[in-house]
Amino acid sequence: MERKILIIYTGGTIGMLNDPDSNLLIPFDFENISKNVPELRKFDFQVRSISFSPAVDSSMMDPDIWVTLVQLIEENYNEYDGFVILHGTDTMAYTASALSFMLHNLQKPVILTGSQLPLGTIRTDGKENLLTALEIAAAQKNKQALVPEVCIYFQAKLFRGNRTTKFNAEHFRAFRSDNYPPLAEVGIHIKFNYPYIRYTTLSGNFWAAKRMDTSVALLKIFPGISQPVLESLLQAPGIKAVVLETYGSGNAPTHKWFLDALKKAVDRGIIILNVTQCLAGSVEMWRYETGIHMLEIGIISGHDITTEAAVTKLMYLLANCNSNEEIKASLNKSLKGEINI
Ligand code: ASP
């Protein structure tokens, strides 16, 4: 049977157009994308598309849209062999991370891509990104998908989605994954890095979680952070979990007011996850005096998780676990290959 891939166009530069009146890039509908990429008709598999209407700039992405996306994947899961999500680059790493936690027993590729220059422009990076993402989504051996994961494909590299970060607003190479190797590298050939691809061993049918809880805060510490700033964030109404971006291997100031504020929050049942501000490496709170205090007051190590994966993993766990104990246990294990442990 012929393979079928579904493109879900959410928005983003790849499908944007220069508005002559305002001179701003604005999203336009998917019909124009297919006009700009006639190659879509040349594959030896079928390509169909669904388009968000209106298309959304990814700065407007939020968990309700992730729920819409997983619903779309769920509704079309049996009919298609793989999915390509066209998405703005700005929050693509958040969406890829969120989807990895929301989709379960995934046996088919879900590949996110986009571009830095719109498809209609001569030097666009979008055409190669789109065409290769489609090839990867359709790649099979013995009718099994080669990469049954949520991934980002961008500029010749396929990354595990929940390991990515957008790090460059200008270069075509906009994403990196410092703590996990690429799942494929693309040149003349697409070279899959098989030992690093996650093949789910769980039996059971595919399903999608449809709840996310946004009671999460993100706090990046910096030299000079003040007590009122820290306290106002930790006391923000409704907050249930905080991603604390610390220095290096998970270090933070040891001022009494700083540790006291964190301890009070932990004692109130707020989950605090320590992630590093560095792009590569892991939190190891036991290494320095400036880390060990946080371990002692019950702050949880994020290991080598990205901030994007930390925020979305917490949203997923807060909405889908029954107790803080269950959340903490899940933070200390890899759910979808997001941490090395
Ligand atoms: N602002 C755009 C977006 O994220 C940028 C892009 O697509 O690269 O939707």
Side-chain angles (χ1 to χ4, degrees):
M1 234 188 27
E2 200 183 12
R3 289 163 297 159
K4 282 170 81 177
I5 305 299
L6 182 65
I7 298 176
I8 304 173
Y9 171 60
T10 65
T13 298
I14 193 160
M16 284 185 180
L17 193 74
N18 208 41
D19 177 30
D21 299 331
S22 63
N23 210 21
L24 293 173
L25 283 175
I26 51 161
F28 64 97
D29 71 47
F30 188 79
E31 290 310 303
N32 290 299
I33 293 186
S34 22
K35 261 188 234 150
N36 280 299
V37 193
E39 292 88 344
L40 285 176
R41 288 189 283 271
K42 293 193 185 163
F43 284 119
D44 63 349
F45 49 84
Q46 280 184 44
V47 180
R48 298 257 186 282
S49 63
I50 310 178
S51 181
F52 275 27
S53 180
V56 279
D57 185 292
S58 82
S59 318
M60 297 295 285
M61 198 44 65
D62 74 38
D64 288 342
I65 307 183
W66 296 334
V67 171
T68 305
L69 270 174
V70 299
Q71 263 162 347
L72 277 174
I73 293 172
E74 193 173 57
E75 283 160 19
N76 290 284
Y77 191 78
N78 292 332
E79 204 185 324
Y80 289 89
D81 298 286
F83 301 85
V84 169
I85 300 178
L86 298 180
H87 193 289
T89 57
D90 290 347
T91 61
M92 193 187 291
Y94 285 93
T95 298
S97 300
L99 297 192
S100 78
F101 299 120
M102 296 165 87
L103 300 176
H104 298 280
N105 300 336
L106 186 64
Q107 306 278 2
K108 299 181 179 184
V110 174
I111 315 291
L112 286 95
T113 194
S115 68
Q116 296 280 61
L117 279 178
L119 269 175
T121 55
I122 294 174
R123 288 194 311 107
T124 184
D125 52 329
K127 209 172 207 180
E128 193 280 326
N129 285 347
L130 170 59
L131 296 175
T132 307
L134 283 164
E135 279 224 17
I136 291 171
Q140 293 185 347
K141 190 169 182 190
N142 301 329
K143 298 203 181 311
Q144 295 299 311
L146 291 189
V147 196
E149 292 206 36
V150 179
C151 301
I152 287 186
Y153 176 71
F154 221 85
Q155 272 290 294
K157 287 207 164 59
L158 181 73
F159 295 121
R160 174 170 296 157
N162 58 30
R163 293 292 196 151
T164 57
T165 297
K166 179 175 178 182
F167 78 103
N168 201 308
E170 186 181 343
H171 290 176
F172 284 158
R173 198 166 77 79
F175 290 91
R176 56 202 286 168
S177 160
D178 288 285
N179 282 335
Y180 202 75
L183 303 183
E185 299 198 58
V186 177
I188 292 178
H189 304 288
I190 300 178
K191 289 199 175 144
F192 291 97
N193 202 355
Y194 292 106
Y196 292 96
I197 299 174
R198 196 166 174 273
Y199 295 96
T200 175
T201 47
L202 296 173
S203 54
N205 292 336
F206 166 82
W207 63 280
K210 304 200 189 64
R211 282 181 307 165
M212 296 291 264
D213 185 335
T214 56
S215 319
V216 176
L218 171 59
L219 174 63
K220 180 173 187 156
I221 62 163
F222 53 91
I225 186 169
S226 70
Q227 188 169 356
V229 165
L230 179 70
E231 285 178 353
S232 62
L233 187 121
L234 293 173
Q235 286 161 17
I239 286 300
K240 297 183 193 154
V242 177
V243 175
L244 187 68
E245 269 200 8
T246 57
Y247 307 128
S249 54
N251 306 310
T254 53
H255 310 301
K256 189 170 176 323
W257 62 263
F258 185 86
L259 293 170
D260 282 352
L262 294 178
K263 180 162 186 333
K264 272 192 211 143
V266 171
D267 291 347
R268 286 202 314 274
I270 293 182
I271 290 172
I272 304 185
L273 185 65
N274 185 353
V275 309
T276 175
Q277 295 179 8
C278 297
L279 285 169
S282 188
V283 164
E284 293 176 333
M285 284 190 274
W286 42 265
R287 282 186 68 183
Y288 293 91
E289 199 214 347
T290 44
I292 198 89
H293 293 299
M294 290 199 291
L295 198 58
E296 284 162 1
I297 59 180
I299 288 176
I300 299 164
S301 171
H303 306 277
D304 60 345
I305 200 164
T306 60
T307 296
E308 292 86 339
V311 167
T312 54
K313 185 173 181 178
L314 278 167
M315 287 183 182
Y316 167 75
L317 292 175
L318 287 171
N320 294 283
C321 289
N322 294 319
S323 65
N324 271 9
E325 276 48 58
E326 196 184 335
I327 296 177
K328 288 179 193 166
S330 301
L331 289 171
N332 271 309
K333 58 184 183 216
S334 159
L335 299 183
K336 298 295 172 67
E338 71 282 7
I339 50 177
N340 280 328
I341 200 148

